[in-house]
Amino acid sequence: MTTYEPSISPNDNLKGFLLAMLSSAFIGSSFIIKKLGLRRAGASGSRASSGGYGYLLEPLWWIGMITMIVGEFSNFVAYIYAPAILVTPLGAISIIVSAVLAHFFLKEKLQKMGVLGCILCVVGSTMIVLHAPGERTPSSVDEIWELAIQPTFLLYTASVIAIVLFLVLYCEPRYGQTNILIYVGICSIIGSLTVMSIKAIGIAIKLTMEGWSQVAHFQTWVFLMVAISCIIIQLNYLNKALDTFDTAVVSPIHYAMFTSFTIFASVIMFKDWSGQSASSIASELCGFVTILSGTVVLHDTRSPDSASVSEMYMSVSPQVSWYFPANGDTWKRKSEEILLPDFDAILKQDHFT
């Protein structure tokens, strides 16, 4: 009986690189389109951060969703041809795309130092591309399953589940609306398991298309169910993060956490660094640190979202009534009523003095 022999093609990394770049362009754009859709939905109904799902009726949000799906599909195919340690860090390009588009469409000002952040992201990505290991395709889903049930990866998976449960059950009700690390942390940590499952499914599809069908293997369907479950959780908490916090903050933090956990998971499961020299591994790590530095610079040089700032003054309890002088008269306002423009400007100015 003939067996499938895995091969390492020098063109595989190039294909993965090009697909990852295309994916970043679409995903970076989708952040902005979805944010615009969430703003529209929030203006006419319950916000996603408050548990509302009105954004599902907003066409603009669906356009952003379709854009993200196209980007994620490109990303999915990229994982078939290249290791996660190459594909995932290239997501930094999506931050550059979202930063530029947010400057024009969301009025989240990108200052001059932001250009330095973009350059650092490009330099770091280049370092990783030049030193990334080649992709080694397993011979079957059974082989991937053996990698998934090795003790070290099972320990990682158990840790991920425990941390996510703690964040969802304890931290989210208390700190979800004030600490960005809660929503983004859940999304990023779960995302590392999503990538591992997606990569397994992609390899199964590739092997099937080459004549070595993996459909009859139950492991293929297990990986598929895990991927679907993780993606649903990711989308839910990514929507909450985008609706609650500034895109300029969400994008870099999500990238840094998601990439870190994904690289860590891939190194454990697929042993990406096996056979690489210490200098190559060091160069990849330096490239990743350079990208992280770029994201920090991008974050620190962006002004806060004006909509998010104004919402800070609307967070009082709806049961409380307030009395404010306006144009010499005293008037009564409940917190659910809209703030007058002249008082809104005075309140914002006083807040920062």
Side-chain angles (χ1 to χ4, degrees):
M1 178 180 176
T2 346
T3 58
Y4 179 89
E5 291 298 331
S7 59
I8 304 177
S9 169
N11 293 324
D12 280 355
N13 273 18
L14 178 59
K15 292 177 184 177
F17 167 74
L18 294 175
L19 288 165
M21 294 291 288
L22 180 65
S23 168
S24 294
F26 276 99
I27 292 175
S29 303
S30 75
F31 270 97
I32 307 306
I33 301 172
K34 288 175 69 179
K35 179 77 171 187
L36 291 170
L38 288 169
R39 282 185 177 180
R40 284 190 185 180
S44 58
S46 179
R47 296 165 57 90
S49 57
S50 305
Y53 294 94
Y55 59 86
L56 294 175
L57 302 177
E58 175 56 51
L60 194 58
W61 184 86
W62 281 107
I63 293 174
M65 192 65 198
I66 293 170
T67 306
M68 175 172 277
I69 290 172
V70 173
E72 292 294 352
F73 178 77
S74 301
N75 204 43
F76 166 75
V77 181
Y79 279 115
I80 297 177
Y81 291 102
I85 201 170
L86 167 62
V87 175
T88 308
L90 290 177
I93 306 302
S94 68
I95 297 177
I96 298 176
V97 173
S98 65
V100 173
L101 293 180
H103 175 78
F104 292 104
F105 295 101
L106 299 180
K107 308 304 178 186
E108 297 174 3
K109 188 177 179 182
L110 177 63
Q111 300 176 8
K112 292 181 179 179
M113 281 296 292
V115 178
L116 174 61
C118 295
I119 293 174
L120 287 173
C121 288
V122 172
V123 170
S125 299
T126 303
M127 292 176 65
I128 291 177
V129 169
L130 292 176
H131 297 90
E135 173 71 351
R136 292 174 171 82
T137 305
S139 58
S140 68
V141 173
D142 294 335
E143 187 176 333
I144 306 174
W145 182 260
E146 290 300 320
L147 296 174
I149 61 174
Q150 58 184 316
T152 49
F153 190 74
L154 287 178
L155 178 61
Y156 174 80
T157 303
S159 302
V160 164
I161 294 173
I163 293 172
V164 168
L165 287 176
F166 173 74
L167 291 175
V168 170
L169 299 178
Y170 180 81
C171 296
E172 183 186 354
R174 294 168 175 80
Y175 314 111
Q177 295 293 309
T178 57
N179 192 329
I180 191 174
L181 295 179
I182 306 302
Y183 291 151
V184 177
I186 295 170
C187 182
S188 302
I189 296 171
I190 284 291
S192 65
L193 296 183
T194 304
V195 171
M196 298 304 103
S197 302
I198 287 293
K199 187 170 180 65
I201 295 167
I203 292 173
I205 293 174
K206 182 182 179 183
L207 293 174
T208 300
M209 293 177 65
E210 291 176 351
W212 305 91
S213 178
Q214 306 296 304
V215 177
H217 297 251
F218 81 92
Q219 294 93 335
T220 302
W221 301 102
V222 172
F223 284 127
L224 180 62
M225 294 305 298
V226 171
I228 292 173
S229 302
C230 292
I231 288 172
I232 291 173
I233 296 173
Q234 277 186 267
L235 288 177
N236 183 39
Y237 282 95
L238 180 58
N239 282 329
K240 289 186 176 184
L242 285 172
D243 196 41
T244 308
F245 304 99
D246 187 355
T247 309
V249 183
V250 173
S251 294
I253 294 179
H254 175 262
Y255 167 78
M257 295 183 68
F258 172 71
T259 305
S260 300
F261 281 108
T262 299
I263 289 177
F264 186 54
S266 184
V267 167
I268 294 175
M269 181 173 173
F270 290 99
K271 308 186 186 304
D272 289 334
W273 285 341
S274 177
Q276 275 203 294
S277 64
S279 60
S280 293
I281 295 174
S283 297
E284 291 164 19
L285 291 176
C286 287
F288 180 51
V289 171
T290 304
I291 294 174
L292 289 182
S293 302
T295 61
V296 170
V297 172
L298 274 172
H299 164 51
D300 288 343
T301 55
R302 296 278 293 282
S303 62
D305 185 359
S306 57
S308 297
V309 172
S310 63
E311 287 162 12
M312 292 167 57
Y313 314 100
M314 305 286 288
S315 58
V316 292
S317 169
Q319 298 177 349
V320 181
S321 298
W322 297 85
Y323 294 84
F324 298 120
N327 300 324
D329 299 325
T330 300
W331 56 278
K332 183 177 179 181
R333 171 189 174 270
K334 290 185 178 180
S335 60
E336 66 268 20
E337 295 173 351
I338 299 175
L339 209 59
L340 292 178
D342 55 345
F343 179 76
D344 186 49
I346 295 172
L347 180 58
K348 289 182 183 179
Q349 182 179 2
D350 291 344
H351 177 79
F352 292 103
T353 57

